Amino acid sequence: MSASKLIVITHSAISGHGSFAVTHIPRGTHLITLTGKPMLKYRALLSHDPLQIDENTYLDLNHESKTINHSCAPNCGIRNRSDLYAIRDIKQGEEITYDYSTTVGSDDNIFAMPCACG
């Protein structure tokens, strides 16, 4: 099933817009590849929700990718550089989330965000 058939973008209590499961999604399913314009770390400081894909490169995420919100108890995780996979079964109607802190290097203290996932 393609990502477009797995998720729908709609209002989110976490942060404006979010992506939600259209149907039951089994653990291990690839949902979407997060995409955007590559940029160096110093440019990422000016971006909203950059995704680190290697030591010095970030993605300035496109709209669809930005609708995958943060959670401290996520149902998805990143593999490879920007592939989003279900790390547990996801119920129909459940918001798709991943932990943003897992995409920034442990020695990189340049980004901070208030957590609103509840």
Side-chain angles (χ1 to χ4, degrees), residues 93-105:
E94 186 176 349
E95 184 163 4
I96 307 301
T97 60
Y98 70 99
D99 184 350
Y100 289 2
S101 70
T102 63
T103 64
V104 178

Side-chain angles (χ1 to χ4, degrees), residues 53-82:
I53 57 173
D54 68 28
E55 187 175 336
N56 294 307
T57 309
Y58 292 75
L59 289 179
D60 186 12
L61 295 174
N62 66 13
H63 174 72
E64 182 180 27
S65 297
K66 284 183 180 180
T67 66
I68 309 295
N69 287 318
H70 164 81
S71 176
C72 293
N75 51 27
C76 292
I78 302 287
R79 286 189 198 163
N80 306 316
R81 290 166 54 122
S82 61

Side-chain angles (χ1 to χ4, degrees), residues 20-34:
F20 293 80
V22 171
T23 186
H24 170 83
I25 300 172
R27 178 180 181 231
T29 301
H30 176 259
L31 279 82
I32 189 173
T33 298
L34 303 176

